[in-house]
Amino acid sequence: KLLGDNFIGPEDWSRLLGLPVTGDKPPVPSWITPALLEEICPITKDGTSKVKDTHLLVFVPESLKGEALTINSLRPLATAAAEKAGKGTVFCDQDWYKGEAFANAKAKGSWVLMPKKIPEDTKKLDYAQQEEAIKAYSAYETNDARSMVAGVVMHFLKTGTRIHETESGWCKDKTASRGRVVVSCFDSDGLGVSYNGGSVRDDWLGRSLARKS
């Protein structure tokens, strides 16, 4: 209740995609408490916004109707759901990562508490410089692409709101060529996934974070 539309649970997956959540379904972790959600958000740095308003709490399923949830398996499901609801484009028209391990990665069902914004002080820095910058966020770690994509996409299907519309975040994943994976701006053309060598510095590119469990 504290999180409102910032909560994406198993029931949301089933309702929005029309498929039952299967596999491991752990409860919300005990460390995610009302007190934590009421804390002042360390990401926004405005001194007033609370975690419950600036973060998504997302359940990322192991599987849907017995099929492992991956970035690649989510694409057609989310696209069909958005078309049915008249919500516009979900994923950019790209297929370069179809055979990449990170886009086919499987995992047990888990809960992820992730900021809805990329920290401003991680932007305009290359990947190595960001490693120093994120030390200021000791309660956080670099998010994985599977969780970030799931959170951003499911929040959009639930609310119609595109978060990270004008910003992108490096994730912990790498491509087969050792490029660092970026989950890119979620604008009207859809959510993009790209990669680079880690030396790029831009005002739209920062670090995707998730709260440490």
Side-chain angles (χ1 to χ4, degrees):
K1 292 182 179 180
L2 282 175
L3 286 153
D5 285 340
N6 290 332
F7 178 86
I8 308 293
E11 298 82 4
D12 292 302
W13 285 85
S14 297
R15 177 175 59 84
L16 294 167
L17 298 183
L19 295 172
V21 171
T22 48
D24 192 36
K25 289 184 279 188
V28 175
S30 59
W31 61 268
I32 301 178
T33 62
L36 171 62
L37 298 177
E38 292 285 359
E39 287 181 3
I40 298 298
C41 174
I43 305 296
T44 59
K45 299 186 183 298
D46 61 9
T48 58
S49 298
K50 295 183 177 181
V51 170
K52 67 180 183 180
D53 301 314
T54 62
H55 286 56
L56 299 178
L57 178 55
V58 183
F59 178 71
V60 185
E62 177 179 358
S63 57
L64 297 171
K65 200 177 181 180
E67 180 180 354
L69 179 74
T70 67
I71 293 175
N72 281 329
S73 71
L74 179 58
R75 286 189 60 165
L77 298 175
T79 297
E83 288 178 351
K84 184 177 180 180
K87 288 186 174 177
T89 304
V90 182
F91 285 92
C92 286
D93 184 14
Q94 53 182 183
D95 61 5
W96 71 265
Y97 55 83
K98 187 174 182 179
E100 290 283 343
F102 79 88
N104 294 291
K106 304 172 185 179
K108 292 288 188 181
S110 63
W111 291 89
V112 184
L113 185 63
M114 64 183 78
K116 293 165 67 176
K117 294 287 291 180
I118 301 294
E120 288 297 324
D121 54 3
T122 66
K123 297 176 181 177
K124 301 181 182 179
L125 303 176
D126 63 30
Y127 194 91
Q129 291 170 327
Q130 286 183 13
E131 288 290 277
E132 289 299 312
I134 64 174
K135 289 179 180 178
Y137 303 101
S138 58
Y140 292 81
E141 61 187 354
T142 302
N143 204 358
D144 64 271
R146 178 177 177 268
S147 295
M148 185 177 182
V149 168
V152 171
V153 167
M154 293 305 292
H155 179 261
F156 171 67
L157 292 179
K158 184 173 183 176
T159 68
T161 301
R162 296 177 187 268
I163 60 174
H164 303 306
E165 191 168 11
T166 59
E167 60 184 9
S168 302
W170 264 312
C171 298
K172 65 174 58 175
D173 314 77
K174 290 184 178 181
T175 66
S177 62
R178 307 303 292 169
R180 295 194 177 278
V181 175
V182 177
V183 175
S184 304
C185 307
F186 189 22
D187 57 21
S188 59
D189 290 328
L191 183 65
V193 180
S194 59
Y195 68 94
N196 57 58
S199 61
V200 176
R201 301 178 191 177
D202 214 316
D203 57 7
W204 52 265
L205 177 58
R207 186 67 68 94
S208 173
L209 298 179
R211 190 87 177 197
K212 293 178 181 176
S213 58

